[in-house]
Amino acid sequence: YLTDTMILAQIRPDIGQVTLTSIPRDYWVDMPNGGQEKINAAFTYGLTKNLDWDKGGLYSRQVAEKVSGLKIPYFAIMDFSGFEKAVDQVGGLDITVDRTFTDYQYPDSGTGYLSPVTFTAGQEHMDGTRALQFARSRHAAGIEGSDFSRSLRQQKIIDAFKQKVLGGNIISDA
């Protein structure tokens, strides 16, 4: 249950603005009940200590509040299969890949790795599986192997998903 990604969304309906801020998963923080851990352990700590999903969210919110200085009233969680399903349900996403890169250590669904996963610069239509690989990839050579590039790719996926949902009238048609 270690958090793969934490993105803080600040929604300002008064000015029509949404700001997404990625919090690096290896950022060291003080845990609510003492000790220091990487921030991606906060959810696990709250969940396993209390056997309660809401406590996992509470612990994550508390440490993210300390990092950001913002009051965080809500949280949402999604696992990898939910991510893939959501992307597939909107018909996939059109993503611009900024730089060609290959991840030679992308994990499979067990304890091994897939064959090298390559993304070529340019426009690509991605289904849920491919979008997840793009968002999670972190073992490429050069700049695309950095947490910063990974965070930007994740924000790109979220933005494309938002555009797809809003552009397709999926919310109003529901």
Side-chain angles (χ1 to χ4, degrees):
Y1 295 106
L2 288 175
T3 304
D4 191 71
T5 298
M6 289 183 86
I7 299 177
L8 176 60
Q10 186 179 23
I11 302 168
R12 297 280 313 272
D14 57 325
I15 59 172
Q17 183 179 5
V18 176
T19 302
L20 302 176
T21 305
S22 297
I23 301 173
R25 63 191 237 147
D26 293 337
Y27 192 84
W28 279 90
V29 296
D30 294 322
M31 287 292 163
N33 289 353
Q36 288 191 323
E37 294 278 344
K38 293 179 182 179
I39 198 166
N40 73 331
F43 182 83
T44 302
Y45 185 72
L47 173 67
T48 58
K49 183 174 172 55
N50 302 285
L51 301 176
D52 183 339
W53 291 91
D54 288 332
K55 291 290 187 189
L58 174 64
Y59 279 46
S60 295
R61 288 182 11 238
Q62 287 175 342
V63 296
E65 285 176 353
K66 287 181 185 176
V67 169
S68 68
L70 298 171
K71 178 72 177 149
I72 304 172
Y74 307 105
F75 75 98
I77 57 172
M78 181 181 293
D79 65 9
F80 297 144
S81 63
F83 176 93
E84 290 178 349
K85 185 176 180 180
V87 171
D88 288 341
Q89 285 182 332
V90 298
L93 302 174
D94 295 318
I95 303 293
T96 301
V97 178
D98 295 327
R99 288 174 290 280
T100 298
F101 68 95
T102 299
D103 187 334
Y104 293 95
Q105 296 179 10
Y106 190 86
D108 63 16
S109 58
T111 58
Y113 298 99
L114 297 178
S115 298
V117 177
T118 298
F119 293 89
T120 304
Q123 191 75 11
E124 181 177 338
H125 184 78
M126 298 182 186
D127 66 6
T129 300
R130 185 75 171 161
L132 182 63
Q133 291 171 347
F134 183 71
R136 288 192 67 212
S137 184
R138 62 188 185 108
H139 294 289
I143 193 169
E144 286 299 327
S146 73
D147 270 344
F148 294 108
S149 290
R150 183 172 179 256
S151 294
L152 291 173
R153 289 194 303 272
Q154 291 168 354
Q155 290 180 10
K156 191 176 276 208
I157 292 284
I158 291 169
D159 188 53
F161 188 83
K162 179 187 86 171
Q163 296 304 325
K164 187 84 175 242
V165 169
L166 295 176
N169 293 322
I170 292 171
I171 293 174
S172 62
D173 288 348

